[in-house]
Amino acid sequence: MRHEFRIRVGPASFRIGSEWRAPIDQMRALYAGYPEADFTDFTVRLEAVSFLRRFIRPSVAINGDYMLPDAAPLPLDQGLLAAEMGMNLQMALGWRRQLILHASAVERGGKALIMTGASGSGKSTLSAMLGRKGWRFMGDEFALIDPVSGDAVPYPRLISLKNEAIAALQTSAPDAHFGPLMQGTPKGDICHMAPPLDAVAGMQTRAKPALLLFPRFGYEPAIREMGAGEVFMRLTQASTNYVALGEAGFEALTRFVQQVPARAIDYQSGEQAEALVNQLWDELA
Amino acid sequence: VSGGAILARALRDPASVKTLDANGWTALFSIARAEQLLGTLAYKLSALDLPEAIEAAIADARLNAEYQHRTALWEADSARRALLDFDGTIALMKGTAYVAAGLKAGQGRHIGDLDIMVAEDQISQAEQLLLTKGGWEWVKEDAYDDAYYRTHMHELPPLIHKERDRMIDVHHTILPKTARPRPDAAAMLEDAIDLDDGLSVFSPEDMVCHCAAHLIADGDLTGGMRNLWDMHCLLSEFAERDAQFWEQLGSRARHHQLWSAVSRAARLSARLYGTQIPVSWAAPRWQDGWYIRRILARDGWGRGTGKIVQLLFYIRSHWMRMPPMMLARHLWTKWRKA
């Protein structure tokens, strides 16, 4: 391919090939300071949907080792998003070394806080915010749980901010490195933010999961206890490889649910969320 | 060297991967994934002492193959349970059959959909049971496609399971009805070998005939490397078990009107993977080189190359499947709908 970029994020490594320069340049800038990979676990290819569409209204098909047959192509100015989606897809469909939870994670004192929930729950924004307030950012998309040790394994890829979260973080973290603002994506406006330096420096340092939260944005502040059965079921749905891991996945998840206290929290602002997180962390973690 | 050739060499001579550098490994993994042969490759390489990063990726591929096999056998058993009242032979086909029968071709093999075969005059019975007792439903609601499958194809339109999102293809023979060779499907079911649970697999000769028909006489050679690897494993294992195998295979292939497909697949398998085939089978034909070229056409990023050769084989696949006038009508209908 014309342009190529290799990157290691936590335990996984990627080769990104692109027919255009721009997405690769954007990745190089945002992933500055990450270790480069030699052998890579996965390949992502950003290819023109047809020869003409490389030049005229360029349209990026997200291809690679694993592909979704019905994945819609993106316009070239969303090429960085295409690359990130391609990388996520490789992990979701191909990674078997750890149990993958669709969750964000931060660490303090060797212990990990894991936050999971549907898109729009705020888990990504919360992890970015906490990552600037004394916590070490471990990842905003996938929390990796080692099936042998039970540890959370860092996967600090770029933080994907959506809609209102973009302005919020640009205000509260003006010194952070932001990618281009991509408007009108399938998920609204998206802007990528480079994780803090300590997140990259510490991306080989694992942590013991100590608290699991199910945040929900837009409701009166509240804390709700959750039964182990509900937590287990919701985590099986939040995992992309639970079924594929078979018995090892079942054991890892069972142990996780038995050992890690879980709460659902509702909040309407970052300050509220932070207060709830600190309160629960002091009580439970 | 084409990407396909790199993968073929690794499968044929696993120790050869020792000379690969990091870029070579990355390319090999992408090529193997594109050919759906990574699980197979992982099995072939597991005895070697390799760098840690490679071993970790290989372990992932093996875990994934185990998962696919578990799922495939579960799907087969689900079909068996739905078909408890079915009073005929139910033969598993392709990957699921290789794994269920414990054949070397099953080791690490990628398995997607479940393929089974039943007698043509019993296929509606099987269909009804799968729909009413098994929880499968139609994928396509398109009347033309549905009618096309039922009139001209060797299988029902694909069914998908309501809850598990897995497909089942129910065949009554191994090639479209419109293809020139007319394999003896009744004999295939007659001679199928019972597994101990009520399901069956084809006899060794028929398994090879089906594999070759699928590769050579149906389709545009997409997935040809995997198909030929199946061929290589089946031929090698059966020939080692039974000294009469080649002779029996030759006469069975002629009976099914598949001699040309079977002998060509055997030659290609020998050429690509070093299968030991009898001297009388080995005389090359001029087209073989084009087949090899088409099958190996892939670059180090896992992309298919050689678009023109690909297109020619695509046209050939339609040509073989249906007579020219029918092809014209079919493409016209498809084109109008697109």
Side-chain angles (χ1 to χ4, degrees), chain B:
Chain B
V1 187
S2 74
I6 295 168
L7 174 59
R9 191 184 67 149
L11 288 169
R12 182 178 177 158
D13 173 19
S16 71
V17 299
K18 291 275 187 187
T19 61
L20 293 174
D21 60 7
N23 288 337
W25 275 109
T26 301
L28 179 61
F29 268 74
S30 280
I31 296 158
R33 282 201 183 99
E35 295 291 346
Q36 295 186 320
L37 275 165
L38 185 62
T40 305
L41 181 68
Y43 267 80
K44 294 300 282 185
L45 301 185
S46 49
L48 299 170
D49 189 20
L50 299 167
E52 199 183 333
I54 310 291
E55 296 230 341
I58 285 175
D60 272 14
R62 287 190 58 141
L63 271 179
N64 200 47
E66 285 168 23
Y67 156 58
Q68 288 189 354
H69 292 187
R70 209 162 51 233
T71 314
L73 293 176
W74 172 256
E75 283 302 310
D77 196 61
S78 302
R80 180 191 65 80
R81 279 179 279 119
L83 294 170
L84 274 178
D85 295 334
F86 182 79
D87 50 7
T89 301
I90 304 160
L92 298 173
M93 304 164 92
K94 304 183 199 169
T96 310
Y98 307 154
V99 172
L103 295 170
K104 289 203 178 93
Q107 283 180 352
R109 192 188 188 277
H110 172 90
I111 305 178
D113 304 338
L114 173 63
D115 295 276
I116 62 170
M117 189 165 109
V118 298
E120 184 166 15
D121 58 4
Q122 289 182 305
I123 201 163
S124 330
Q125 190 195 348
E127 181 182 7
Q128 281 315 310
L129 287 169
L130 291 171
L131 289 170
T132 55
K133 298 211 167 163
W136 277 274
E137 62 188 10
W138 300 120
V139 177
K140 293 184 182 178
E141 294 293 336
D142 185 307
Y144 174 79
D145 287 345
D146 191 76
Y148 186 87
Y149 264 96
R150 287 173 194 277
T151 320
H152 301 303
M153 289 297 278
H154 50 310
E155 61 195 353
L156 292 174
L159 296 164
I160 192 158
H161 197 273
K162 282 176 202 165
E163 284 150 23
R164 296 195 303 272
D165 206 29
R166 303 273 304 187
M167 308 251 270
I168 181 170
D169 284 331
V170 184
H171 304 245
H172 57 77
T173 182
I174 59 169
L175 281 178
K177 290 190 208 171
T178 49
R180 259 146 284 175
R182 302 305 304 264
D184 184 351
M188 287 187 155
L189 289 172
E190 176 91 356
D191 294 344
I193 297 163
D194 290 341
L195 302 169
D196 49 15
D197 61 355
L199 297 170
S200 306
V201 296
F202 291 149
S203 72
E205 293 80 10
D206 285 343
M207 232 181 234
V208 171
C209 286
H210 177 219
C211 181
H214 187 63
L215 174 71
I216 305 288
D218 186 20
D220 62 354
L221 270 74
T222 300
M225 286 200 73
R226 189 186 73 188
N227 228 305
L228 276 182
W229 180 257
D230 288 344
M231 194 76 189
H232 168 72
C233 294
L234 295 175
L235 289 173
S236 308
E237 189 169 3
F238 295 148
E240 198 183 305
R241 262 196 224 165
D242 180 357
Q244 309 302 310
F245 175 71
W246 287 103
E247 210 174 300
Q248 290 159 6
L249 176 61
S251 68
R252 192 69 166 181
R254 286 191 176 86
H255 176 74
H256 289 311
Q257 304 178 5
L258 287 170
W259 165 249
S260 143
V262 170
S263 57
R264 168 156 285 143
R267 288 197 305 275
L268 297 178
S269 164
R271 203 155 146 177
L272 213 54
Y273 297 124
T275 320
Q276 300 287 319
I277 63 172
V279 180
S280 58
W281 287 56
R285 302 281 301 273
W286 66 270
Q287 303 99 324
D288 290 358
W290 286 98
Y291 280 81
I292 293 284
R293 203 167 142 182
R294 164 67 184 94
I295 287 168
L296 295 182
R298 211 168 269 292
D299 70 9
W301 286 85
R303 293 178 295 182
T305 54
K307 296 292 175 202
I308 292 172
V309 177
Q310 238 180 62
L311 178 68
L312 290 175
F313 273 97
Y314 179 76
I315 294 169
R316 170 185 171 275
S317 74
H318 271 73
W319 190 258
M320 286 183 311
R321 252 183 238 163
M322 40 181 113
M325 269 319 285
M326 190 183 150
L327 173 58
R329 271 202 306 277
H330 172 67
L331 292 179
W332 177 251
T333 313
K334 282 284 178 190
W335 175 76
R336 273 164 51 109
K337 285 197 306 181

Side-chain angles (χ1 to χ4, degrees), chain A residues 209-238:
Chain A
L211 179 62
L212 171 68
L213 294 179
F214 291 80
R216 194 167 64 152
F217 175 71
Y219 294 85
E220 286 280 307
I223 297 173
R224 186 169 66 87
E225 298 208 2
M226 296 174 76
E230 184 189 356
V231 174
F232 185 88
M233 288 312 294
R234 286 185 63 172
L235 290 180
T236 60
Q237 289 161 359

